Amino acid sequence: MGSSPAAVASLPRLTAVATLLVLLVGQQQQQQASGLSTYRQLRAVVDRLNERHGPFLAMVMAYSVEADALQTSGEFVANAAVPFVDMFGRRFHVGTIRRVSVVTVMSGQRRLNAGITVQILMDYFDLGGIVHYGTAGSADDSLSFGAVSVPKYVAFTGSWNWKRFNSIGVDDFPELSVGYYNTPKRGENLLGRIEFKPEEFFPVGGSLEEVFWLEPFSAWYQLAQKLEDVVLDYCVNSTYCLPSRPKVVLGLRGATADIFLGNAAYRRFLHNEFNVSTVDEESAAIVM
Ligand SMILES: *[C@@H]1O[C@H](CO)[C@@H](O)[C@H](O)[C@H]1NC(C)=O
Ligand SMILES: *[C@@H]1O[C@H](CO)[C@@H](O)[C@H](O)[C@H]1NC(C)=O
């Protein structure tokens, strides 16, 4: 998957209401009735879609609020004949956004779901690229609520070498000393130290590499620079507004882990050690 074009963007949470979808009753029942032969039939359906409408731009969202935001935006126009295909428990919506062929899907949260979903997309659909958007936490005080970040790098920060208590040695990657955060006073702690580890990355046509900073597809990153001038909304209605208009920011670093991060001290650590500005649970999996 390494050479797949992928642009990763993090958008603020959008309020959304429930979506209306057309149901392909026949296909659904078939899928439940028989396993493998149905997937062959589904593949034939997807192959026809690829021939007629491909290549597609895939949009991957992690959870319902993010998926609903797209559906209720009015931008997505479902394909009249095949509005969606259900495969491997996920629903792939087929249609267009401003005449560009798109397939949109809710992957489910965290890396495993995101990775599986991207693999299914790549196995079945003829893709021109993948756009991932969704909510992210901020680890950067210079970002205001509602800001849109188009990161230049994403790291997976959930892979650790948890060191033996009192172990000594030089670390290649930043480490977190748990005792440093003792209250009311810094000190030692049996949980010791955690050293961050790079990811194992399989580049297409190359051999296994250890990579810490993953990079979205650079041509798309260049393209995304045009978003910098987009004027963002900052009011839900006439009385419910952010204190100021948020901005689109490019070139920051993001961190992904299978962790919902609500802890300010750890957020500060990530920012200080890795210069990370946003934290989420899927981006790194999508880039990989
Ligand atoms: C504006 O939106 C907020 C948040 O959704 C809601 O609580 C409030 O009632 C709305 N106000 C008006 C005037 O619609
Ligand atoms: C951290 O990121 C900001 C924004 O991209 C950049 O200006 C700054 O030089 C970076 N600092 C370090 C230590 O990498």
Side-chain angles (χ1 to χ4, degrees), residues 107-122:
S107 61
Q109 294 182 72
R110 293 172 281 284
R111 281 210 315 163
L112 186 59
N113 276 325
I116 288 171
T117 304
V118 169
Q119 191 65 55
I120 299 168
L121 277 168
M122 295 183 66

Side-chain angles (χ1 to χ4, degrees), residues 21-221:
L21 283 170
V22 189
L23 213 72
L24 268 188
V25 177
Q27 210 172 67
Q28 274 237 317
Q29 285 168 346
Q30 277 169 12
Q31 192 179 337
Q32 276 151 15
S34 70
L36 269 180
S37 69
T38 312
Y39 280 119
R40 244 173 254 134
Q41 287 164 0
L42 277 174
R43 186 174 280 285
V45 170
V46 177
D47 283 346
R48 271 199 304 281
L49 286 169
N50 286 332
E51 270 163 37
R52 284 184 202 158
H53 306 290
F56 289 92
L57 188 74
M59 297 185 70
V60 179
M61 288 77 77
Y63 71 116
S64 58
V65 171
E66 297 167 355
D68 292 351
L70 175 66
Q71 294 288 334
T72 54
S73 68
E75 296 283 357
F76 177 79
V77 181
N79 183 293
V82 186
F84 62 79
V85 183
D86 284 340
M87 289 190 294
F88 306 102
R90 290 175 179 78
R91 177 157 293 184
F92 297 81
H93 297 271
V94 182
T96 56
I97 292 178
R98 304 200 182 182
R99 301 219 190 91
V100 175
S101 292
V102 294
V103 49
T104 80
V105 58
M106 187 179 91
S107 61
Q109 294 182 72
R110 293 172 281 284
R111 281 210 315 163
L112 186 59
N113 276 325
I116 288 171
T117 304
V118 169
Q119 191 65 55
I120 299 168
L121 277 168
M122 295 183 66
D123 286 347
Y124 279 78
F125 288 92
D126 175 12
L127 293 187
I130 299 172
V131 173
H132 168 55
Y133 80 85
T135 60
S138 168
D140 183 339
D141 292 339
S142 73
L143 287 181
S144 65
F145 193 83
V148 174
S149 168
V150 183
K152 184 93 172 72
Y153 298 98
V154 186
F156 180 64
T157 50
S159 172
W160 299 338
N161 179 10
W162 204 315
K163 311 205 94 170
R164 255 197 323 230
F165 182 62
N166 266 342
S167 67
I168 45 167
V170 184
D171 292 316
D172 295 329
F173 285 91
E175 58 171 47
L176 174 88
S177 156
V178 180
Y180 183 87
Y181 295 90
N182 283 355
T183 59
K185 235 177 114 210
R186 278 171 206 169
E188 285 294 305
N189 184 310
L190 286 177
L191 291 175
R193 291 178 298 135
I194 290 159
E195 183 193 5
F196 287 74
K197 285 171 64 173
E199 265 300 51
E200 293 190 337
F201 182 71
F202 290 87
V204 175
S207 45
L208 177 65
E209 288 170 16
E210 300 229 309
V211 177
F212 193 78
W213 292 108
L214 299 155
E215 215 175 333
F217 189 51
S218 62
W220 281 28
Y221 177 78

Side-chain angles (χ1 to χ4, degrees), residues 251-253 275:
L252 302 180
R253 287 169 192 264
N275 213 3

Side-chain angles (χ1 to χ4, degrees), residues 230-256:
V230 171
V231 179
L232 299 174
D233 284 341
Y234 67 122
C235 291
V236 173
N237 55 37
S238 57
T239 53
Y240 203 65
C241 293
L242 291 170
S244 61
R245 195 182 282 284
K247 290 203 172 78
V248 178
V249 280
L250 286 118
L252 302 180
R253 287 169 192 264
T256 297

